[in-house]
Amino acid sequence: MASQKSLIWGKKFKTSQLQILLADSLTIFWGDWLDLRVRVAQVAASGLISPLIYILAFGLGLGSSIRPGSAISGNYNNYLEFILPGMVALSSMTISFGGTTFSICGDRLFTKTFEELLLTPIHPLALQLGKMLAGVVRGLMTSGSVILVALIITRNWNFLHPLFLLLLVLNCAVFAGLGVIVGLSVRSLESVGLYNNFVIIPMSFLGATFFDPSTLPTAFQVVVYLFPLTYASTGLRAAANLPLSQFPWYSIPVLLVIAIALSLWGAAKFAHQQD
């Protein structure tokens, strides 16, 4: 009887701790949302320019010379249809990472309000999750604009498929988590530029946004699949255009594991952060 009571008490304690963690995470997110909600249009449009340029230059320009069945699979009607899911992945990555990084850097390096956040009696994991959630919302705002463009162009309602949206959220979570870590690590805005130039920009072009990884030599496929954006791009493309039998189900656990690993890493950074 005593062991049963202790087991029940232990479960209640774990549930209570989880509820506190969730509530604290939402509190941190709400602080960022108060700033985001007055800039919804700005945030939604900020990451739309690059995808639109890529759509015009590659999808409508270069894409007119690319025929299904040659450079891309015959499952697609044209190259524009092929790259649109990649543009959604690209926009969500850019804004989730950049918006989160610059938000934290602004608080740490300029307004000097980040110390107040570190002094709050909140678990470091809740700080990480709250900042990640704000980054996810930023990414969804911008990628939602790209999805709207894709719907207007293709009339393909699979861009709103649950699998498509799930992968989109996971992709935002991965790069928002990375943005938190970078934001906590850098000492100047110039350092953010280095991460952007050596990580984000190469991944933008090598993350299967413009090409099918299966057409590459094996050695290059290994390199391409080291990038989380590759799993997002191939998964989003399959969810939008291919039957479920051809969906790369492995992309979901891969992105989920990466997001969890980055969350734990970020929580450790918060626990030892000194500003």
Side-chain angles (χ1 to χ4, degrees), residues 28 112-123 127 270 273-275:
I28 298 300
K112 301 296 183 180
T113 59
F114 196 72
E115 295 88 343
E116 299 175 4
L117 182 66
L118 296 177
L119 292 174
T120 55
I122 292 179
H123 195 282
L127 295 173
F270 266 111
Q273 189 73 19
Q274 294 182 352
D275 279 318

Side-chain angles (χ1 to χ4, degrees), residues 28-36 39 43 94-115 117 127 130-136 138 176 178-184 186 189 192 270 275:
I28 298 300
F29 162 72
W30 186 253
D32 280 15
W33 170 248
L34 293 177
D35 177 56
L36 279 174
R39 300 186 295 111
V43 174
T94 304
I95 298 304
S96 294
F97 174 81
T100 304
T101 302
F102 282 107
S103 173
I104 294 177
C105 284
D107 292 342
R108 287 182 58 233
L109 305 176
F110 294 100
T111 63
K112 301 296 183 180
T113 59
F114 196 72
E115 295 88 343
L117 182 66
L127 295 173
K131 290 295 184 180
M132 275 182 66
L133 186 56
V136 169
R138 288 187 183 93
L178 182 61
V180 173
I181 293 169
V182 172
L184 293 174
V186 298
L189 289 181
V192 178
F270 266 111
D275 279 318

Side-chain angles (χ1 to χ4, degrees), residues 13-264:
F13 178 77
K14 290 180 180 178
T15 302
S16 176
Q17 291 293 96
L18 183 60
Q19 291 174 343
I20 293 173
L21 182 67
L22 178 60
D24 288 344
S25 300
L26 292 176
T27 299
I28 298 300
F29 162 72
W30 186 253
D32 280 15
W33 170 248
L34 293 177
D35 177 56
L36 279 174
R37 68 179 183 178
V38 299
R39 300 186 295 111
V40 170
Q42 178 183 343
V43 174
S46 60
L48 186 60
I49 302 301
S50 292
L52 284 179
I53 292 174
Y54 291 140
I55 289 170
L56 292 173
F58 291 95
L60 299 177
L62 177 65
S64 60
S65 62
I66 298 177
R67 295 289 179 265
S70 55
I72 60 175
S73 168
N75 294 310
Y76 307 94
N77 295 319
N78 49 60
Y79 186 63
L80 177 60
E81 187 179 88
F82 177 84
I83 68 168
L84 279 172
M87 294 302 97
V88 175
L90 178 61
S91 64
S92 63
M93 174 191 72
T94 304
I95 298 304
S96 294
F97 174 81
T100 304
T101 302
F102 282 107
S103 173
I104 294 177
C105 284
D107 292 342
R108 287 182 58 233
L109 305 176
F110 294 100
T111 63
K112 301 296 183 180
T113 59
F114 196 72
E115 295 88 343
E116 299 175 4
L117 182 66
L118 296 177
L119 292 174
T120 55
I122 292 179
H123 195 282
L125 183 57
L127 295 173
Q128 168 73 17
L129 293 177
K131 290 295 184 180
M132 275 182 66
L133 186 56
V136 169
V137 172
R138 288 187 183 93
L140 291 177
M141 286 180 183
T142 301
S143 56
S145 301
V146 182
I147 289 175
L148 179 60
V149 172
L151 288 174
I152 293 173
I153 294 174
T154 65
R155 305 296 175 89
N156 181 1
W157 293 100
N158 282 335
F159 279 93
L160 300 178
H161 192 282
L163 272 178
F164 190 96
L165 299 178
L166 173 61
L167 279 170
L168 179 57
V169 170
L170 288 175
N171 189 54
C172 291
V174 166
F175 288 101
L178 182 61
V180 173
I181 293 169
V182 172
L184 293 174
S185 303
V186 298
R187 296 301 176 187
S188 66
L189 289 181
E190 289 79 6
S191 299
V192 178
L194 289 176
Y195 281 97
N196 192 64
N197 289 334
F198 288 97
V199 178
I200 299 302
I201 292 179
M203 201 181 306
S204 299
F205 290 93
L206 300 177
T209 50
F210 298 101
F211 59 87
D212 185 353
S214 63
T215 62
L216 298 175
T218 303
F220 287 103
Q221 286 188 37
V222 172
V223 174
V224 167
Y225 276 102
L226 292 176
F227 302 128
L229 185 65
T230 300
Y231 298 94
S233 297
T234 54
L236 291 173
R237 188 172 294 126
N241 298 295
L242 301 180
L244 283 179
S245 59
Q246 298 183 40
F247 182 79
W249 294 99
Y250 58 83
S251 58
I252 294 177
V254 168
L255 290 174
L256 181 60
V257 168
I258 295 174
I260 293 173
L262 290 173
S263 298
L264 297 177

